[in-house]
């Protein structure tokens, strides 16, 4: 009951020295008082003398609802003389606007929402509490201004606003903030100027970072007990690779290293009964070395994802190609959601981020619509070209901007950064959505994610164990390294004394009584700086990646998707282009060696015996310098025709090649046409 009063009337404050008790909302809405002081003066800027004058003024006014005196709030409608108490106004369904002049409207003059007659009047679910809400012009019912089918209970919206605050309160369906807040303020929803309640709660996300640490082996050999965990020793606890909710000391299961697989008895019995134990590789929570030398959580090394070594370079590339083919099939499945209705994006290449953001946030944007791109600052044919060529270029520029934006940190393999302004503006969500849309609509792969970021997205941050190489800030990494490599207890304590403020800011202060305590401290610091610090951007980014079902597929096929998120596209080779194009031969072509000329030319280009590159050839035909993860639609083809020069039909991804009698003639025509075409387009 007290909690409801606080939500309804605002915080109740008592000032003993002034013999004064006020409700915050009653104070805000009183008609004869305003803030004349600073925020720390009087009661939130309302001076005590002004409050007493307002009390005296209200004492003479009778409430038009309860008929008692003390009605300090008046309706602002012209010629309306109604006055009432704040609680009485709530019961009578008056509207109080918590903005600008803090206006109040009586039950007769209050603003209302217009419900078009053609809209369905049947009930639907409130998108907050999921209970039914009637589509009726009632005080207790509010409609979203930005989503046609979004309806809410007023009480649910008010509770959400008080919890989320002005930075996070937005439409629960489309995530619109400005238009949604403007309408809700007009209709009397109070949106406090504070951070969200979940951001203010200390250690709110601590549970996410708790890993299971208990040895469940029947005969535990550790003298320190089943909960003892000593990293980098035989007494380190390893969790079940399948369920993660059972553990063992390495020594208790006769494991010589952390990399070995281990499954609990329950999981082994389940897979044995299902007959899938020997057929299916299960997700492992073991750490394995990344190709760049860092440690992360990946699936256990297998033929599907071998460790990188000089001798296995060719094999590694083959596996990447296999995984990318798998991703291509998955993305083509997701592309079936795309309909023929088009959405145009007006893009300025010199302001790619802001124009893209404006396009993605426009009211008629739907990820399932076909995207057309118009470049507003290009004088070339790209300005009006609505083919896949413009779309390829747009997504390529957008991914390049994201990689170098303030949303990410790190050198080549990047993690999310903590940009508070971007978080408030919901830019992490938009970035995730842009990447998802790019992948399904034929854009390039991101290719710049660190393994730690990718694993947080697909496995969850609670299952990821960061290490020093995952820390992007050099100064932070040096400080942690200094703690990690302290050789004596005295040097460790001295280092901790020097870094007191650093440790306090991370919430990692702990008593140090032994040198081995540094291991837990280092783990705490790594967890904070790599994961816990960016937990809010990470969740927002994940929500964006859910667009078109991309994140769900990433979670189902993590190894395959890591090939496009954590690795740059493979450099084009003659073999790659040869496999990419399907040759349609007509009669007589083989006699003059058309197909042989084409393959020979690709080999010359690859070996540097040409003025063009393999990327130039691909762009000449498709409008893209790289092969998108989803592949090309339609698939690239080659036709040998009696034409004077090669023609790149980007609408059909078809390369029409001239039939020539000699290879020299064929090569000269290719060189001249491709070079001149690209030069003109660049100019």
């Amino acid at each position: 009951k007290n909690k409801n009063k606080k939500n309804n009337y605002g915080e109740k404050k008592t000032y003993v020295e002034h013999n004064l008790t006020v409700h915050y909302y009653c104070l805000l809405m009183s008609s004869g008082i305003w803030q004349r002081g600073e925020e720390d003066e009087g009661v939130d800027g309302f001076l005590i003398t002004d409050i007493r004058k307002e009390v005296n003024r209200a004492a003479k006014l009778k409430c038009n609802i309860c008929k008692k005196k003390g009605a300090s709030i008046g309706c602002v409608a012209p010629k309306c003389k109604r006055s009432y108490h704040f609680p009485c106004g709530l019961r009578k369904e008056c509207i109080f606007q918590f903005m600008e002049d803090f206006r109040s409207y009586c039950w007769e003059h209050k603003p209302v929402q217009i419900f078009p007659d053609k809209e369905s009047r049947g009930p639907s679910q409130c998108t907050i509490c999921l209970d039914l809400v009637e589509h009726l012009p009632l005080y207790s019912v509010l409609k979203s201004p930005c989503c046609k089918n979004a309806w809410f209970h007023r009480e649910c919206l008010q509770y959400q606003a008080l919890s989320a605050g002005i930075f996070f309160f937005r439409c629960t369906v489309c995530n619109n903030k400005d238009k949604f807040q403007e309408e809700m303020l007009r209709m009397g929803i109070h949106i406090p100027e504070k951070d969200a309640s979940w951001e203010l709660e200390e250690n709110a996300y601590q549970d996410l970072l708790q890993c299971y640490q208990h040895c469940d082996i029947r005969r535990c050999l550790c003298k320190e007990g089943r909960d003892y965990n000593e990293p980098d020793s035989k007494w380190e606890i390893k969790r079940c690779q399948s369920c993660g909710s059972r553990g063992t000391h390495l020594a208790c299961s006769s494991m010589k290293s952390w990399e070995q697989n281990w499954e609990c008895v329950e999981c082994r019995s389940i897979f044995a009964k299902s007959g899938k134990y020997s057929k299916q590789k299960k997700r492992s929570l073991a750490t394995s070395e990344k190709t760049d030398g860092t440690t992360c959580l990946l699936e256990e090394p297998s033929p599907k994802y071998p460790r990188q070594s000089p001798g296995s370079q060719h094999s590694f590339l083959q596996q990447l190609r296999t995984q990318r083919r798998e991703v291509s099939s998955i993305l083509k499945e997701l592309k079936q959601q795309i309909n023929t209705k088009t959405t145009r994006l007006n893009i300025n290449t010199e302001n790619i981020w802001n124009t893209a953001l404006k396009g993605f946030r426009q009211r008629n944007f739907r990820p399932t619509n076909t995207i057309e791109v118009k470049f507003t600052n290009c004088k070339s044919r790209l300005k009006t070209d609505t083919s896949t060529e413009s779309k390829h270029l747009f997504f390529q520029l957008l991914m390049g901007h994201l990689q170098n934006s303030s949303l990410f940190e790190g050198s080549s393999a990047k993690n999310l950064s903590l940009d508070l302004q971007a978080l408030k503006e919901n830019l992490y969500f938009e970035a995730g959505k842009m990447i998802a849309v790019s992948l399904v609509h034929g854009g390039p792969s991101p290719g710049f994610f660190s393994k730690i970021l990718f694993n947080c997205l697909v496995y969850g941050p609670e299952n990821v164990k960061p290490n020093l190489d995952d820390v992007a800030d050099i100064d932070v990494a040096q400080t942690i390294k200094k703690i990690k490599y302290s050789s004596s207890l005295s040097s460790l304590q001295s280092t901790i004394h020097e870094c007191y403020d650093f440790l306090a800011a991370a919430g990692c202060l702990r008593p140090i009584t032994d040198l081995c305590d540094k291991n837990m401290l280092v783990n705490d610091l790594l967890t904070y700086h790599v994961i816990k610090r960016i937990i809010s951007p990470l969740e927002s980014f994940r929500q964006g990646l859910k667009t078109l079902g991309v994140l769900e597929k990433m979670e189902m096929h993590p190894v395959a998707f890591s090939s496009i998120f954590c690795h740059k596209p493979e450099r084009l080779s003659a073999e790659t282009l040869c496999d990419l194009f399907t040759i349609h031969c007509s009669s007589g072509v083989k006699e003059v060696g058309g197909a042989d000329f084409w393959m020979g030319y690709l080999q010359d280009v690859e070996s540097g015996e040409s003025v063009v590159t393999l990327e130039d050839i691909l762009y000449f035909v498709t409008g893209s310098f790289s092969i998108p993860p989803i592949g090309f639609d339609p698939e690239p083809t080659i036709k040998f025709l009696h034409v004077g020069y090669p023609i790149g039909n980007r609408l059909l991804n078809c390369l029409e090649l001239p039939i020539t009698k000699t290879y020299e003639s064929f090569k000269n025509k290719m060189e001249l046409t491709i070079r001149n075409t690209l030069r003109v387009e660049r100019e």
Side-chain angles (χ1 to χ4, degrees), residues 364-430:
N364 67 338
F365 180 82
R366 298 288 182 275
T368 52
N369 287 356
T370 298
I371 293 177
E372 290 184 351
V373 175
K374 177 182 178 182
F375 289 105
T376 58
N377 63 321
C378 292
K379 295 181 180 180
S380 70
R381 65 190 182 90
L382 277 177
K383 182 174 182 179
T384 56
D385 185 12
T386 56
S387 69
T388 55
E389 180 182 354
S390 294
K391 197 159 60 174
H392 281 315
L393 179 57
F394 163 61
F395 283 127
Q396 181 182 344
L397 293 173
L398 184 58
M399 290 304 108
H401 175 88
L402 279 176
Q403 180 176 358
N404 298 309
S405 72
S406 63
L407 302 180
F408 296 90
E409 62 182 12
S411 51
S412 55
K414 295 179 178 286
N415 193 9
L416 289 174
S417 65
L418 178 60
D419 186 329
L420 295 178
Q421 186 61 34
L423 191 62
K424 291 175 182 177
E425 295 177 10
N426 212 27
L427 299 186
Y428 290 97
F429 171 85
E430 298 293 349

Side-chain angles (χ1 to χ4, degrees), residues 205-211 461-462 527-528 531-532 535:
Y205 301 99
Q206 191 63 34
D207 290 342
L208 295 177
L209 305 172
Q210 295 297 322
C211 293
E462 69 277 12
T527 299
Y528 172 79
I531 299 175
K532 187 177 178 181
I535 203 77

Side-chain angles (χ1 to χ4, degrees), residues 191-364:
I191 311 172
E193 292 187 8
K194 68 178 185 66
D195 215 335
S197 57
W198 57 86
E199 295 291 332
L200 301 173
E201 183 181 346
E202 188 175 354
N203 296 324
Y205 301 99
Q206 191 63 34
D207 290 342
L208 295 177
L209 305 172
Q210 295 297 322
C211 293
Y212 186 83
Q213 299 211 345
H214 182 81
C215 180
D216 295 291
I217 299 300
R218 179 177 295 182
R219 293 186 62 188
C220 178
L221 305 176
C222 182
K223 295 181 180 179
E224 302 294 330
R226 292 181 177 272
D227 294 325
Y228 182 74
N229 180 39
E230 174 65 32
D232 302 319
S233 75
K234 65 180 180 179
W235 302 121
E236 183 169 4
I237 292 179
K238 179 179 176 65
R239 295 181 298 279
C240 171
Q241 66 173 11
S242 296
C243 69
S245 59
R246 292 289 183 271
T248 176
H249 290 113
L250 298 183
C252 296
S253 291
S254 302
M255 288 190 289
K256 295 182 180 179
S257 75
W258 173 265
E259 282 86 16
Q260 286 182 256
N261 274 341
W262 181 79
E263 281 176 331
C264 64
V265 175
E266 290 87 344
C267 288
R268 284 204 300 270
S269 63
I270 291 171
F271 283 104
K273 290 175 183 177
S274 65
K276 297 180 181 178
Y277 188 83
S278 60
K279 299 177 183 178
Q280 179 176 307
K281 283 286 180 181
K282 293 162 286 300
R283 183 179 299 175
S284 170
L285 297 181
T287 53
S288 61
E289 295 300 313
K290 294 199 303 189
T291 56
D292 60 0
T294 61
T295 303
C296 65
L297 293 176
L298 290 173
E299 296 208 357
E300 191 67 13
S302 68
K304 199 172 183 181
Y305 208 113
R307 291 186 194 281
Q308 185 86 351
S309 67
S312 65
Q313 178 70 24
H314 179 73
S315 175
F316 177 73
L317 291 176
Q318 288 295 110
Q319 299 308 321
L320 273 183
R321 292 169 190 164
T322 302
Q323 291 154 17
R324 286 170 177 168
R325 283 194 291 269
E326 183 182 350
V327 170
S328 178
S329 299
I330 295 168
L331 292 177
K332 286 175 181 175
E333 177 187 332
L334 292 178
K335 191 179 179 181
Q336 294 176 8
Q337 305 170 75
I338 310 303
N339 56 52
T340 55
K341 185 177 180 181
T342 59
T343 295
R344 171 173 286 188
L345 302 180
N346 295 313
I347 301 300
N348 185 325
T349 55
E350 296 177 1
N351 191 11
I352 187 74
W353 173 248
N354 288 328
T355 51
L357 193 61
K358 183 178 179 181
F360 271 70
R361 285 178 168 175
Q362 63 185 327
R363 180 181 297 182
N364 67 338

